[in-house]
Every structure is written in structure tokens, then in C-alpha cells.
Amino acid sequence: MLVGSDVFVFRDTCNVYVMRSGRQAVLVDFGSGDVLDRLAGFGVDEVTDVLITHHHRDQLQGLARAADAGIRIWVPPVERELIAGVDEHWRTRRFENDYDVRQDRFSLLQQVPVTGTAAEYRTRRYGPFDVHTLPTPGHTVGSVSYLVEHGGRRLAFVGDLVHGEGRVWSLAATQWAYSGFHEHAGREGVAATVLSCMQLLGHRPDLLLPSHGDPVTDPPRAVARLRSRMQALLDLHRRAPWDPERMLHRPWREVTPHLLRNTTAMANSYALLSDHGTALLLDFGYDLTTGLAGGQDRSSRRPLLASVEALRRDHGVDRVEVALPTHYHDDHVAGFNLLREVHGTEVWSPAHIAPVLQSPDHWDLPCLWYDPIPVDRELPPDRPVRWREYEIGVHDLPGHTLYAAAYSFTADGRRIIATGDQQTTEWEPGLRPEILNYQYRNRFRIDDFTRSAELYRSLRPELMISGHWHPHEVTDGYLDMLLAKGEELARLHRELLPAGIDFGAEGFGARLSPYRSVVASGGKMRLVAEVRNPFPGGDTAEVRLVLPPGWQAQPAVERVGLAGHAEGTAEFLVRVPDGEPAAERLRVAADLTVGRMRFGQQAEALVSVR
């Protein structure tokens, strides 16, 4: 069926679109693969590329045929693992006590190698066509649409974002998480569909080409009908009507004229504006969020850049030059790599946070982003850094996590401090208590909140901005409360934990790094054990690695002399025997003895043989 000049639709398990140029073609989605048997009918000799809109099986169940034919395959970045790595997904996907209601099981039965991922927010050449890839979450978290100028019209290949005039192919697919307490809980994809359609219309497509159903010849009318119905569905469960216009077009709220807060992100990000027309971002995680999907795999977590366009449009920002992390957690840094790829943004990081960003596999920590985040400039602690007209103080801020920083600066005559997730900043005497946001696995130490309170008192900020709460006016009473609460927290920990054996708030005497690693059969790897003396007097720590059968460590035992309550390291070279079969996440442990007391296997690391 001809739908445009040299654009055809092949009806299969989904609509497979054939864009022809001469005797070559690019396909959008692939279905069962039967289209390859019908190319002559479209006047096509060669398919150069296949562009996939989302991972569902009806879109690509025959994709192995394309790979076998040597056709280049491009997939949505967030869903690559559900296509090229789906074997691991099937192996690890939880089914017992399962609260993850996404349709991630509607994936390929066997994985298919792909050429790469579509470049979101950018126009790239695929075969003989220039294609712009637009993130359009809704039907799935990772769905994309492809925009092509062809035959004098702008075509939008939208996958299952819409289905005809004012409908969607599936409402069940838009439920990304089990019902909970977020305002869109259980309807995350419904809200995302509305926002995606609004952004799609901003590109002024002449024709929407869905994966199921007929072409949409009047996109504004179809989207208006869909939006009104989706809005009604959402508002059934809300106290007040939802305002997608505000989310999309007015995401930034003024803190001061040169400091803006993103109100549509999961964790607050802040834009510090320069009079040179550039911006610096403090954190940038999940932008334009309608709620996180169930599960923690990559396909459930998607960074977007919608609010950056609003900076350009409404605040005269030509470029986001720098992004600074308050800490490494994904909801604060998930968008850093995408900012770099699309806008050339540099990442500056305090020196103690940079290793976590750059080598996430090395660390046994929660909330790590999936990929390394390269750091362009490491910032020494307690030394200010200059960006444009601002001098920004960089301060070590352990508490919420050991790998966190505070930033102090003056904007529009006000002294401001950014503290990430250190505390809630919503204290009202007698009404709301301040919550000191410590998590033991983040490597909280007993006196951290006392020290952060002392830091604040020394800096005397007028305004505190934080990761998940509103900006807070800082008073002497607030600073006094933080210090008193930090001291009380430390006192209670000391009274509750053993008096003569001090492994700190974490409760462990050793850590192994790298925590996750890959080694070849017959290969070698280096493991480092960080150990702590829990006693007040000097003593010797003895560390022995516990290895899979046949593996060897040199030395077999390492002894480290430590002063009272001091820490040190023991290094080992681990040899994997020849012929070791491939295996995932084999366990290695560090068995710790300090002085005469054996504490046992205090730390573990995971090693995959490939």
C-alpha cells in the first residue's frame, strides 16, 4: 500500500514501512520479516537499514532475518538490552512476588545483534535518508518516533504512540508500575503519551504513521482527541486536573532571577544562568518525569532533555556548558551523558565523586547509573572553582552518601548553598520535623551530619536548595536545629553500637574492589581489600581471599598493620585456571581477622568469566 511518495506500508504483525530511494530502502519496524520476500513489489533491490520504534515482539519478531541478511539494525537506546541482550533479561526477570507490570515480557524470545542505537534528539543519516529521532515514551518507556522529510512532507513514524483518530493501540502497555502513591501511579505511560504527543506536534508533522492502524492525516485533530480522553482518564484519579502544558512549556521556576529550579524532574535540578547566555546545571537526572516504571533494569529508566529546550526558548540560554553533580545517584546524574552527546555539556565533578561516576562497576553502592559518566574536570575539595561570573565553593558533604558535595555561591546578591539529598529542608518548628537523610549502604558515618551542620554554620548561607524539596530560607534557628539533631544522631549511634568494636555505622570491617569485574578463562585480575581496625589500639589485620575451586590468589594471606580505628588496603592478584567455563557473578570473599578476633567473610565481590 502506497502512503506517500516512495513510502509504502506492508501489513504484517505490525505495519512495516518501506521508504524507497532509487532501488534502496530503509524499513521502519520489521514484523515477522516477510517484507524481505516482497521487496520486488516495492521496486526495491536492497534494504540498507531497519529502524525500530520499540522492543515489543510484534514489531520485530523476525529481526534475525535482517541480521542474517547483513542489514544494519538501529534500536531505541533505552531498549537495546531488550533486543540485543534479551537472553539475559529472560534469565534474570523476576516472576515470583512480581510487582513489575510493564510489558517487558512482550520481547524477543532470542536476542538479535544490532548495529547500534538511534541518536535521540538528533538527525542522522540511515542509508539514503536523513532521520530525526525523537524520544516518545508512552506505549513503552523507551519508545522513539522517527521524523523524515520525504516527498515534500514531514512524516512521523510513531510506533504505537497513537492508533488512528484519538486512540491508542493498548492502554495496558501504558501502565509502567503497580499502583502506588505517585500522582500518576499506574498511569505513568498515559501521562507520558500526552507529553510525547505534544512534543511530536511541535515538530509539525504532516502525517503520522502508526505501527497499527491507518495513517493519521490530520495530526493536530487526532492528538487533540487523544489528549482529551487521556486527560479524562488521568483526572479520574486526581484531586485537581493535571496540567501538561505547565510541565512541557513552563518547567523552570525562578528561585532568583539567575537561578531556576526544574519542577518536572524526579530530583530537583537547578540552572545557574550566566549573562553570557549560557547555563550551568546542578544535577540532571530524570527530566519531565511522569513516574518511574517498575523494575530497575535499564529499560525502566530513561533520561530526557525536554526542559533544556525551555531554557533556550524562555531564558535565552544558547548552551548548557557545565553539569555539576551533588552526588552520584541516578536520579541526579542520569541525564549527564545525554547532555554531553546532544549539547556538548562538560561534566565537572568533585574529585571524590568522579571515580564513582567514571567506574560504576568498581563500587558496591546503591543507585548507580548503568554506564560510566566521563568527567571532564575534577574539582579539588574546599577550593572554589570559577565558572563565568560565578565563584562556586566545592565542599565535601558526607551523610546521605560518602560521595557527595555541597556547592556555595552568590546569585543575585543572595548567598546560596546546594546540598543535594542531605536533609529535607522542610523543617517547621512544632509542625514538620527535619529528616536527616542517611542510608547505611551509601556509606554513612556517625558524625557526618554534625560536620555538615558545622559547614553550614561556617558558610552562613541565606538560602538552601536541595534535591527533592523546596528552596528553604536559612535562619540561625534552622542551623542550630541541624547541629543539635546531628549531635543527637551521633550520640544515639554510639550508645546503640558495640562500645569496644567500632566498625562504624556501616557495620563491616572490609570492602572488596572492584565489586563487579569480568575476567577471561586463564586470565588474571587484581582485587583490593579495604580493611578497618575496629579496636582503639594498634593491631594487625589478616586478610584471606575465599575463591571458587581451582582459583589462586597471590599472596594467599596479606597482613596489614593498622593504628587504632585506622583503615588500610591489602592487594591480591587472582589467577583463573585455564579451561574455566563461562559463568556469571561467581563469588569471591575477603575473610578478615584483626588481632585475635576473626570476623569472617566480611566483604564479597562478583566475578564473571567470559
Side-chain angles (χ1 to χ4, degrees):
M1 174 183 173
L2 182 67
V3 296
S5 175
D6 286 328
V7 179
F8 306 87
V9 60
F10 176 71
R11 304 284 189 184
D12 195 10
T13 56
C14 70
N15 292 336
V16 178
Y17 292 98
V18 182
M19 290 192 296
R20 185 180 66 189
S21 177
R23 305 293 294 183
Q24 290 185 325
V26 170
L27 306 182
V28 179
D29 291 322
F30 198 68
S32 71
D34 287 354
V35 65
L36 297 185
D37 302 322
R38 308 291 181 87
L39 295 178
F42 302 120
V44 170
D45 296 328
E46 178 192 11
V47 173
T48 62
D49 299 79
V50 175
L51 304 174
I52 299 299
T53 61
H54 61 287
H55 71 90
H56 281 170
R57 206 153 52 228
D58 54 348
Q59 305 299 121
L60 41 63
Q61 65 187 51
L63 196 60
R65 287 195 63 185
D68 292 342
I71 299 168
R72 293 185 293 265
I73 300 169
W74 307 92
V75 300
V78 172
E79 296 185 348
R80 179 172 186 156
E81 279 71 20
L82 290 178
I83 299 169
V86 78
D87 291 356
E88 180 70 5
H89 172 73
W90 284 115
R91 189 182 72 82
T92 59
R93 212 296 187 180
R94 184 176 184 134
F95 299 105
E96 300 83 5
N97 197 24
D98 175 21
Y99 281 78
D100 185 353
V101 296
R102 287 177 301 148
Q103 292 187 348
D104 56 334
R105 284 178 284 180
F106 194 26
S107 298
L108 286 173
L109 303 183
Q110 282 83 36
Q111 62 195 32
V112 174
V114 303
T115 307
T117 59
E120 295 182 314
Y121 295 105
R122 287 156 286 173
T123 299
R124 293 287 185 268
R125 193 151 187 93
Y126 301 97
F129 294 98
D130 291 326
V131 181
H132 185 85
T133 303
L134 181 69
T136 49
H139 186 71
T140 69
V141 177
S143 292
V144 299
S145 293
Y146 299 108
L147 292 149
V148 180
E149 302 283 348
H150 192 59
R153 292 195 295 177
R154 182 169 296 170
L155 310 179
F157 300 90
V158 298
D160 282 325
L161 179 67
V162 300
H163 174 67
E165 300 292 330
R167 299 179 184 271
V168 293
W169 181 242
S170 169
L171 280 172
T174 65
Q175 191 168 59
W176 296 351
Y178 208 84
S179 295
F181 299 103
H182 186 274
E183 63 176 354
H184 295 138
R187 289 160 290 279
E188 301 82 8
V190 173
T193 295
V194 172
L195 293 168
S196 292
C197 285
M198 293 169 65
Q199 292 174 86
L200 183 63
L201 284 187
H203 289 263
R204 305 181 69 84
D206 297 299
L207 192 67
L208 306 185
L209 299 173
S211 288
H212 296 88
D214 295 326
V216 176
T217 57
D218 188 347
R221 179 175 178 271
V223 167
R225 292 183 65 186
L226 176 62
R227 177 178 165 181
S228 67
R229 293 164 179 172
M230 290 294 219
Q231 177 96 36
L233 184 61
L234 283 169
D235 288 348
L236 278 175
H237 307 276
R238 294 176 55 89
R239 294 181 180 178
W242 180 49
D243 185 2
E245 294 282 354
R246 185 201 67 78
M247 282 194 71
L248 190 59
H249 299 302
R250 300 184 300 279
W252 297 95
R253 187 163 296 171
E254 184 177 293
V255 179
T256 74
H258 286 79
L259 181 66
L260 310 176
R261 178 172 70 96
N262 184 351
T263 62
T264 70
M266 179 185 170
N268 291 329
S269 55
Y270 294 87
L272 185 60
L273 307 183
S274 167
D275 289 332
H276 295 85
T278 57
L280 175 148
L281 292 180
L282 293 166
D283 292 335
F284 198 81
Y286 300 118
D287 190 28
L288 199 68
T289 183
T290 59
L292 293 183
Q296 288 81 41
D297 58 294
R298 184 190 298 268
S299 64
S300 69
R301 300 289 182 265
R302 185 178 200 175
L304 298 167
L305 298 179
S307 66
V308 176
E309 171 60 22
L311 283 178
R312 184 197 63 77
R313 182 185 64 240
D314 301 329
H315 301 282
V317 171
D318 294 327
R319 181 172 171 238
V320 176
E321 286 189 322
V322 174
L324 286 177
T326 59
H327 56 295
Y328 67 88
H329 286 170
D330 65 316
D331 57 330
H332 294 258
V333 302
F336 277 25
N337 283 342
L338 194 58
L339 281 169
R340 180 199 308 279
E341 293 164 9
V342 178
H343 296 291
T345 303
E346 290 190 357
V347 174
W348 296 1
S349 171
H352 66 294
I353 303 175
V356 185
L357 297 177
Q358 295 185 119
S359 302
D361 284 359
H362 191 89
W363 304 85
D364 175 19
L365 292 167
C367 312
L368 291 164
W369 184 239
Y370 306 94
D371 304 310
I373 298 174
V375 171
D376 300 284
R377 181 176 177 183
E378 292 194 16
L379 310 178
D382 300 318
R383 284 172 52 186
V385 62
R386 193 85 186 173
W387 175 75
R388 295 295 185 176
E389 61 265 41
Y390 297 97
E391 183 174 270
I392 302 173
V394 181
H395 312 280
D396 190 16
L397 193 73
H400 177 60
T401 170
L402 184 60
Y403 310 101
Y407 301 104
S408 59
F409 55 93
T410 298
D412 303 301
R414 303 209 70 191
R415 297 189 308 277
I416 298 167
I417 188 165
T419 62
D421 290 349
Q422 185 77 347
Q423 64 276 315
T424 58
T425 69
E426 291 200 335
W427 175 63
E428 287 188 42
L431 295 176
R432 280 197 294 246
E434 183 75 6
I435 296 174
L436 305 184
N437 190 12
Y438 62 92
Q439 312 292 327
Y440 294 107
R441 266 200 68 203
N442 284 336
R443 304 203 65 183
F444 160 65
R445 299 174 305 183
I446 289 173
D447 292 305
D448 282 344
F449 284 90
T450 302
R451 291 170 182 152
S452 64
E454 291 168 346
L455 171 69
Y456 304 154
R457 287 163 70 96
S458 70
L459 295 172
R460 307 300 299 182
E462 299 171 88
L463 189 68
M464 183 177 288
I465 57 176
S466 62
H468 295 273
W469 303 276
H470 291 91
H472 184 80
E473 296 286 339
V474 178
T475 64
D476 287 341
Y478 181 67
L479 295 179
D480 291 343
M481 178 276 298
L482 287 181
L483 180 59
K485 199 151 189 173
E487 290 173 341
E488 177 74 355
L489 181 67
R491 180 186 66 80
L492 289 170
H493 274 79
R494 288 195 167 90
E495 290 179 357
L496 287 165
L497 291 171
I501 300 175
D502 180 9
F503 279 139
E506 293 179 76
F508 288 97
R511 302 177 74 88
L512 277 174
S513 60
Y515 187 71
R516 292 174 288 160
S517 56
V518 177
V519 67
S521 177
K524 297 181 290 186
M525 62 175 296
R526 185 168 148 293
L527 281 176
V528 177
E530 301 173 32
V531 295
R532 176 180 173 88
N533 176 9
F535 304 119
D539 222 322
T540 299
E542 180 181 287
V543 186
R544 184 188 309 269
L545 290 190
V546 180
L547 299 167
W551 293 29
Q552 294 181 337
Q554 293 179 336
V557 178
E558 180 73 293
R559 294 176 176 84
V560 183
L562 297 172
H565 296 154
E567 297 181 357
T569 60
E571 297 192 16
F572 300 87
L573 183 66
V574 176
R575 298 179 183 273
V576 178
D578 288 326
E580 182 75 12
E584 294 294 317
R585 297 188 179 184
L586 298 174
R587 278 73 67 191
V588 173
D591 196 298
L592 175 67
T593 299
V594 181
R596 297 182 179 181
M597 183 170 289
R598 184 175 181 183
F599 294 99
Q601 298 175 11
Q602 284 281 295
E604 84 285 342
L606 306 176
V607 183
S608 296
V609 179
R610 297 176 188 162

